[in-house]
């Protein structure tokens, strides 16, 4: 927990000392949320951004140190071009619009994934937001964009193999700590709690290495409806779990 954090409105039944340090979210169900209302899928994504913004604020208010959101997977390129283009433009616009607010709220934003295949204008916005917020000391907000857990592990293996080839690393020196240094998420703690919305019981190639011991919480609620009472429920469930990390 952040020292000196003002736990604004933390529900009284939640124990501040047992909050997760890092929460990760698979924001699923935007399309179904829109379909249920007879709206185009893109409206679900728009509302999804609002839900994410509120969750980020809520994490900050309640003293959670890090939030990671799965915005776009390496497999999402297989969606209709119109939807992919909409999402790329949405990310870019949201980043531009929210940068000032993130500075005011001391958010440190970071993107993880294969960023070099994103549209150049989005890459520029990503770079600018990461550089501008780098020194911020508040919540660490990570956005997984064009992210795939398997791809992340393979690129780490390739980078390590190059080090071995150059004679800078011996195969027997490779351990978990060294391996972590080659992941996109190096320097970010592992998620304590992984939340998935819309009822699907899968990981979908998200943070495969990092969630080895995360507690998983799945709710039927579609992402655009994921709000503070929903988050409260997820945290209550988390606080009732006994984390053993393989021990007894
Ligand atoms: C999954 O719902 C959602 C996505 C693929 C996009 C999530 C992106 C956002 C909420 C925007 C985040 C913005 C920033 C700047 C980080 P789905 O489309 O798979 O829904 P479905 O399963 O009901 O079809």
């Amino acid at each position: 927990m952040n020292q000196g954090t003002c736990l604004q409105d933390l529900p009284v039944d939640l124990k501040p000392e047992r909050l997760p340090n890092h929460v990760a979210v698979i924001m699923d169900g935007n399309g179904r949320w829109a379909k249920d209302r007879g709206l185009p899928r893109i409206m679900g994504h728009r509302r999804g951004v609002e839900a994410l913004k509120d969750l980020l604020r809520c994490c900050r208010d309640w003293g959670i140190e890090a939030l990671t959101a799965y915005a776009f997977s390496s497999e999402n390129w297989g969606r209709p071009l119109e939807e992919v283009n909409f999402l790329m433009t949405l990310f870019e616009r949201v980043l531009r619009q929210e940068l000032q607010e993130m500075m005011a709220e001391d958010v440190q934003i970071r993107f993880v994934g294969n960023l070099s295949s994103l549209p150049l204008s989005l890459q520029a916005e990503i770079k600018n937001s990461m550089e501008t917020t780098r020194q911020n000391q508040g919540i660490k907000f990570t956005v997984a964009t064009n992210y795939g857990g398997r791809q992340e592990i393979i690129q780490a293996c390739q980078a390590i193999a190059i080090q071995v080839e150059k004679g800078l690393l011996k195969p027997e020196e490779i351990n978990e700590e060294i391996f972590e240094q080659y992941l996109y998420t190096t320097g970010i703690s592992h998620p304590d709690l992984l939340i998935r919305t819309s009822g699907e019981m899968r990981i979908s190639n998200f943070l495969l290495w990092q969630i080895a011991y995360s507690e998983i919480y799945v709710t039927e609620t579609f992402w655009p409806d994921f709000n503070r009472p929903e988050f409260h429920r997820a945290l209550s469930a988390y606080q009732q779990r006994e984390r053993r990390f393989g021990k007894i």
Side-chain angles (χ1 to χ4, degrees):
M1 285 246 338
N2 285 331
Q3 287 301 311
T5 302
C6 165
L7 299 181
Q8 191 192 327
D9 300 323
L10 178 72
V12 287
D13 60 305
L14 292 178
K15 299 182 190 72
E17 70 282 5
R18 291 203 60 186
L19 284 172
N21 285 321
H22 183 174
V23 174
V25 280
I26 301 179
M27 310 181 286
D28 197 12
N30 291 349
R32 278 164 285 170
W33 180 92
K35 189 168 174 253
D36 280 359
R37 288 160 179 77
L39 298 170
R41 290 175 57 82
I42 58 167
M43 290 305 290
H45 297 315
R46 276 213 182 109
R47 285 295 291 263
V49 172
E50 297 309 312
L52 181 58
K53 274 163 51 180
D54 194 48
L55 179 63
L56 181 63
R57 286 214 175 89
C58 185
C59 284
R60 187 208 52 183
D61 291 347
W62 292 359
I64 290 166
E65 289 171 9
L67 175 69
T68 296
Y70 202 5
F72 194 86
S73 78
S74 335
E75 289 71 36
N76 285 154
W77 296 109
R79 294 186 175 214
L81 187 63
E82 196 181 284
E83 183 171 339
V84 170
N85 287 343
F86 175 83
L87 282 168
M88 296 298 148
T89 313
L90 179 72
F91 298 156
E92 201 177 313
R93 200 183 59 229
V94 170
L95 269 184
R96 208 169 23 243
Q97 281 171 356
E98 298 299 321
L99 186 56
Q100 229 182 340
E101 196 63 28
M102 288 194 285
M103 289 306 289
E105 298 188 11
D106 212 17
V107 175
Q108 188 188 99
I109 194 169
R110 180 162 160 185
F111 283 76
V112 292
N114 179 4
L115 306 179
S116 60
S117 355
L118 294 171
L120 289 178
S121 51
L122 175 56
Q123 285 187 49
E125 216 60 66
I126 286 175
K127 188 164 177 268
N128 182 41
S129 67
M130 293 208 308
E131 279 171 5
T132 311
T133 65
R134 195 181 298 280
Q135 304 295 333
N136 287 354
Q137 296 297 312
I139 186 161
K140 289 186 165 51
F141 178 39
T142 304
V143 185
T145 310
N146 193 19
Y147 175 89
R150 289 180 177 176
Q151 291 86 336
E152 177 182 38
I153 289 170
I154 287 175
Q155 68 75 37
C157 291
Q158 289 172 339
I160 291 171
I162 290 171
Q163 297 300 98
V164 172
E165 203 173 38
K166 285 182 178 163
L168 298 171
L169 192 65
K170 294 195 182 76
E172 61 274 19
E173 286 170 345
I174 302 167
N175 56 23
E176 291 185 16
E177 210 173 300
I178 303 261
F179 194 78
E180 292 248 7
Q181 291 168 14
Y182 292 87
L183 294 174
Y184 298 135
T185 55
T186 182
I188 304 172
S189 66
H190 295 166
D192 302 291
L193 172 63
L194 171 67
I195 298 173
R196 181 168 189 147
T197 56
S198 95
E200 245 65 76
M201 299 282 182
R202 12 173 217 273
I203 300 300
S204 300
N205 207 11
F206 189 41
L207 302 177
L208 295 180
W209 170 277
Q210 298 85 344
I211 59 160
Y213 287 101
S214 306
E215 295 294 327
I216 300 178
Y217 178 87
V218 177
T219 169
E220 293 291 325
T221 302
F222 293 145
W223 175 254
D225 286 332
F226 190 85
N227 53 18
R228 289 184 182 222
E230 284 283 345
F231 189 42
H232 181 183
R233 274 192 280 284
L235 293 174
S236 298
Y238 172 82
Q239 294 203 333
Q240 278 154 28
R241 309 260 181 102
E242 188 196 345
R243 300 188 74 196
R244 295 207 300 262
F245 301 95
K247 303 180 185 82
I248 53 169

